Amino acid sequence: MSVWALGINHHTAPLDLRGRFAFALDQIQPTLNGYRASLPRQPEATLLSTCNRTELYAAGDQAAVEPTLEWLAKTGGVGIHVLKDHSYVLREDQAARHAFRVASGLDSMVLGEAQILGQMKDAVRAADEAGALGTTLHQLFQRSFSVAKQVRSSTEIGAHSISMTAAAVRLAGQLFEDLKDIRVLFVGAGDMIELAATHFAAKTPKSMAIANRTLERGEKLAGRFGAEVMRLADIPDRLHEFDAVISCTASTLPIIGLGAVERALKKRRHRPMFMVDLAVPRDIEVEVKSLSDIYLYTVDDLANVVQTGKENRQAAVEQAEAIIDAGVLSFMHWMDQRNPQNGVVPLIQQIHAQADEWRSAEMARAKRLLAKGEPVDAVLEALARGLTQKMLHGPLAELRSGDAEARAATAHTISRLFLRDEAGKPPRQS
């Protein structure tokens, strides 16, 4: 059993390429099922997809890496060489370290951001529901969540974090003299839009509106902020009314096109518009950025803004990396114990099988005695004695055999195994 991760992220791939490999949460299960069905030996697998990354974590045969690259390239509609140029493959301890760093927010565009942890938990839950999450990946991700919790509770990694949505508000403040005088349109009603609406609402803009494919979800979010709700289909006719547009949907095609923005600018007599596209793939056509009086930012454009204060967190990063290193060592030790080549797992299985055999034999004997009318106390005493004798027969026989040196080594081992105190500590050697 080998652990590995294959992925692309904001460090290795441009936004438009990442957009080809973006999967909504409800797509993860069928995508995982299709991936595993494409291989002769199905590995454990989990698919993490956010605006900054798409990563497939797997536990299984290392030989599956190349077919996985081919499958992912085909899924995204790109040549395998294109994907190889922008992707990474991490194995064993490096894969574990990467998972722990991602969960802890150390590999995010916004250093220390907390949203990724919830996204990882959603991805793991989807993999579990798809039947793709086995023992190894379960351990990997549960340990990554534990490490992330420790990083957040014992370091200040997120103390100075600037979120994407907060960065958007900061940029809007640089364009408009007073955010109280602007009208803001939010496109979508997911977590990112909720965060954006929260940040903008704190600046008390003149008005806010939420456009969403599902009116019910849009109305629920709009009710929190006293915002108007509208349909996506209404955007082209009403776009000119808004000074700022923040968009983040799961649409596979752009929602706001070049023509709609050009018409809106004409109606606005070319008063500037501030637009933020937080979606991957894009919600706003890339050509919009070339228009005069349009200030369009994508998730990648916000990278420099959110790095503010990064230097102040270097000490926290070093502390977090130390916690992650310890977590990686612990996970790899667990993996090593499960390796059939080191003999530990088969031995544990044999010990359990032998213990079950002894238990069954003594239980059968006890039932026969009870059926004959023997007193219950006497039967229980015989049951306990029989199990004790079976457990001690081997160790005691070893103590009586061999030369003095072999008996001394056996005595030391048996003392550690059988004479521990209540706290589980072995006895002190005299």
Side-chain angles (χ1 to χ4, degrees):
M1 179 70 71
S2 178
V3 175
W4 46 273
L6 164 65
I8 59 173
N9 64 19
H10 58 288
H11 299 300
T12 68
L15 188 152
D16 287 327
L17 182 61
R18 298 203 307 272
R20 287 181 170 272
F21 299 95
F23 300 94
L25 187 59
D26 59 1
Q27 294 177 303
I28 289 181
Q29 286 190 46
T31 302
L32 279 178
N33 290 336
Y35 160 64
R36 298 177 79 223
S38 72
L39 299 174
R41 298 179 61 183
Q42 295 190 353
E44 298 179 27
T46 301
L47 181 62
L48 172 65
S49 183
T50 74
C51 61
N52 289 335
R53 70 186 67 248
T54 293
E55 296 176 337
L56 196 149
Y57 294 84
D61 191 346
Q62 283 271 11
V65 173
E66 192 66 23
T68 300
L69 269 165
E70 295 174 0
W71 169 84
L72 189 59
K74 183 178 180 180
T75 301
V78 302
I80 188 168
H81 295 296
V82 173
L83 180 58
K84 281 186 175 181
D85 288 344
H86 293 90
S87 64
Y88 43 88
V89 177
L90 304 167
R91 295 175 170 87
E92 309 301 355
D93 60 327
Q94 292 302 312
R97 177 171 283 102
H98 183 72
F100 293 174
R101 295 185 83 253
V102 170
S104 301
L106 266 67
D107 195 60
S108 297
M109 186 178 291
V110 182
L111 182 62
E113 61 97 2
Q115 188 179 17
I116 184 62
L117 183 58
Q119 292 169 325
M120 285 188 77
K121 289 181 177 180
D122 288 340
V124 170
R125 191 177 303 112
D128 191 24
E129 291 171 355
L133 189 72
T135 303
T136 301
L137 287 190
H138 175 78
Q139 275 288 326
L140 173 68
F141 286 110
Q142 291 307 312
R143 288 168 183 260
S144 72
F145 301 154
S146 177
V147 164
K149 181 178 180 181
Q150 187 178 354
V151 166
R152 296 189 187 285
S153 63
S154 58
T155 76
E156 295 186 357
I157 194 67
H160 309 286
S161 175
I162 303 175
S163 71
M164 289 288 185
T165 51
V169 174
R170 174 179 293 186
L171 288 171
Q174 294 174 4
L175 178 62
F176 300 107
E177 187 174 335
D178 192 342
L179 295 185
K180 290 185 172 67
D181 297 329
I182 70 170
R183 293 178 170 85
V184 187
L185 170 64
F186 300 97
V187 184
D191 292 340
M192 285 295 285
I193 290 297
E194 183 176 355
L195 283 170
T198 300
H199 280 93
F200 271 94
K203 300 297 182 179
T204 60
K206 182 179 291 185
S207 69
M208 294 169 55
I210 294 175
N212 195 52
R213 196 177 307 279
T214 306
L215 274 183
E216 182 181 357
R217 183 171 174 82
E219 288 171 348
K220 183 177 180 181
L221 186 59
R224 286 186 51 194
F225 301 103
E228 176 191 359
V229 66
M230 53 189 276
R231 298 180 184 276
L232 291 181
D234 297 332
I235 291 177
D237 293 331
R238 297 192 56 190
L239 189 59
H240 66 282
E241 300 175 16
F242 302 98
D243 306 293
V245 178
I246 317 297
S247 187
C248 187
T249 75
S251 175
T252 56
L253 297 172
I255 291 173
I256 301 175
L258 176 63
V261 179
E262 287 177 327
R263 290 191 296 273
L265 279 176
K266 187 175 181 180
K267 290 180 181 179
R268 289 171 60 83
R269 297 182 181 179
H270 290 274
R271 282 183 293 114
M273 289 182 70
F274 173 76
M275 307 183 83
V276 177
D277 189 352
L278 295 171
V280 179
R282 297 175 188 264
D283 278 346
I284 303 173
E285 286 187 344
V286 64
E287 294 81 5
V288 169
K289 193 165 189 174
S290 64
L291 296 175
S292 299
D293 304 313
I294 290 293
Y295 297 83
L296 172 61
Y297 298 88
T298 66
V299 287
D300 288 358
D301 294 326
L302 296 175
N304 292 330
V305 180
V306 300
Q307 296 308 316
T308 303
K310 187 174 181 179
E311 305 79 18
N312 300 333
R313 287 170 284 172
Q314 191 54 45
V317 170
E318 292 174 2
Q319 292 174 328
E321 295 284 12
I323 294 171
I324 288 169
D325 286 344
V328 171
L329 285 174
S330 176
F331 175 72
M332 294 311 296
H333 177 67
W334 177 84
M335 285 283 289
D336 186 59
Q337 286 183 317
R338 290 177 53 81
N339 186 352
Q341 293 180 354
N342 65 24
V344 173
V345 172
L347 178 60
I348 291 173
Q349 293 172 339
Q350 292 171 13
I351 291 172
H352 278 297
Q354 180 67 81
D356 286 342
E357 183 179 327
W358 289 339
R359 179 184 56 80
S360 297
E362 291 304 317
M363 283 292 293
R365 180 168 176 266
K367 289 177 180 178
R368 289 196 299 271
L369 292 174
L370 288 173
K372 291 179 180 179
E374 295 289 337
V376 173
D377 288 346
V379 173
L380 291 175
E381 180 67 28
L383 174 65
R385 190 185 311 111
L387 283 173
T388 302
Q389 289 174 346
K390 283 180 168 62
M391 290 175 60
L392 295 179
H393 173 72
L396 293 179
E398 287 295 317
L399 278 174
R400 299 188 185 102
S401 63
D403 56 26
E405 184 177 350
R407 288 197 300 273
T410 301
H412 176 70
T413 300
I414 290 176
S415 294
R416 291 180 66 248
L417 294 175
F418 288 93
L419 301 181
R420 291 177 176 270
D421 61 20
E422 292 182 359
K425 297 179 181 179
R428 293 182 179 178
Q429 299 298 313
S430 57

